[in-house]
Amino acid sequence: MKILVVDDEALLVKGIRFNLQNEGYDVITGSDGLEAVQAVKEQAPDLVVLDVMMPNMDGLTACAKIREFSDIPIIMLTAKTDDMDKLMGFDHGADDYLTKPFNILELKARIRALLRRAGSAEKKTPGSSLTIGTITLDLDARNAYRNGVLADLTAKEFDVIEFLMRNPNRVYSREALLDTIWAYEYRSDIRTVDVHIRRLREKLEENPAEPKYILTKWGVGYYFRK
């Protein structure tokens, strides 16, 4: 597996590279957003670890540009602790984030979780699909369509909608979705689920303000209506 690590802190990059190489990963590095976008295009890594605050092009902009052509898993690194600053990463297409300083063991665990989920998606039966109403998922290509038109979902957005569509009419709390989709405790950032649900409605519902499929059961959680 090839991991791209992009941060303008040289010592941090060196430490991450050393630890990931010890885990058997092939690690490539960069120091700004421009290098990140170019490396994803030219070297096709399996996952990106991307800092937010960088020169030339910041990580949020780089993440958005990568999402224009790739659904590669992206973990954002941020020195900011404000929830709204962190949630901006998800709005730009990130799958996960860590706040600096972080434990390298936690970074490794999150990398493994995202790669495992991406790998399991690749093993799905070719040509398999899931359709409810106007929404269709191509499980092999991991593409989503609304009325036959391709919707540009991130890897994590696809995971969320696939899970809900596989379990229609069943209500899941935000905590349950975090534990199931993200595969680890993420309780301090519970609004992550809200951001992903909002983005899915914007991309898959005819009228996001009055959704037909991706619904909220107030005080309980979210569900997909069949």
Side-chain angles (χ1 to χ4, degrees):
M1 290 287 184
K2 183 185 297 184
I3 309 295
L4 170 63
V5 179
V6 185
D7 196 305
D8 61 333
E9 297 182 47
L11 288 178
L12 178 61
V13 171
K14 182 178 180 181
I16 294 175
R17 178 174 58 192
F18 174 79
N19 280 276
L20 294 184
Q21 286 177 335
N22 283 345
E23 293 288 318
Y25 295 113
D26 178 14
V27 181
I28 55 178
T29 63
S31 60
D32 62 43
L34 292 173
E35 293 181 4
V37 176
Q38 183 176 8
V40 173
K41 288 181 177 179
E42 297 180 355
Q43 303 195 51
D46 297 288
L47 181 144
V48 180
V49 178
L50 183 64
D51 186 38
V52 172
M53 301 299 291
M54 294 185 294
N56 299 323
M57 180 187 290
D58 64 79
L60 294 175
T61 302
C63 183
K65 287 187 174 296
I66 290 171
R67 282 289 171 256
E68 293 176 359
F69 62 88
S70 174
D71 65 353
I72 182 174
I74 297 175
I75 300 176
M76 301 292 295
L77 302 179
T78 175
K80 297 183 178 182
T81 58
D82 185 270
D83 284 345
M84 292 309 298
D85 288 327
K86 296 174 183 177
L87 292 176
M88 284 183 64
F90 295 112
D91 271 333
H92 285 73
D95 296 289
D96 199 354
Y97 74 82
L98 275 174
T99 301
K100 296 179 180 178
F102 54 84
N103 188 313
I104 190 65
L105 295 178
E106 184 173 7
L107 175 61
K108 290 179 181 179
R110 297 191 183 196
I111 288 174
R112 287 195 297 270
L114 283 175
L115 290 176
R116 183 167 58 248
R117 188 169 295 277
S120 65
E122 293 175 358
K123 296 176 183 179
K124 294 189 183 296
T125 304
S128 58
S129 64
L130 176 62
T131 298
I132 299 178
T134 60
I135 300 175
T136 297
L137 303 183
D138 181 334
L139 302 176
D140 181 42
R142 284 177 61 81
N143 286 328
Y145 299 86
R146 178 172 66 87
N147 288 323
V149 179
L150 179 65
D152 183 21
L153 303 189
T154 67
K156 192 62 66 180
E157 288 167 359
F158 189 92
D159 290 339
V160 173
I161 193 62
E162 179 185 359
F163 178 76
L164 292 176
M165 288 181 67
R166 284 184 179 276
N167 300 277
N169 301 323
R170 180 173 177 179
V171 181
Y172 291 91
S173 68
R174 290 182 292 179
E175 292 87 351
L177 289 171
L178 287 171
D179 291 342
T180 301
I181 305 300
W182 279 260
Y184 55 82
E185 292 296 323
Y186 210 179
R187 300 296 172 82
S188 62
D189 304 300
I190 200 167
R191 283 184 295 171
T192 297
V193 174
D194 300 333
V195 172
H196 282 73
I197 292 295
R198 174 173 58 79
R199 289 173 60 86
L200 284 169
R201 286 171 174 164
E202 291 172 352
K203 297 177 179 181
L204 295 175
E205 294 279 5
E206 296 281 354
N207 181 0
E210 298 181 6
K212 179 180 179 181
Y213 299 106
I214 308 168
L215 303 180
T216 302
K217 187 172 182 63
W218 296 108
V220 182
Y222 297 107
Y223 66 103
F224 192 98
R225 182 168 61 187
K226 183 173 183 180

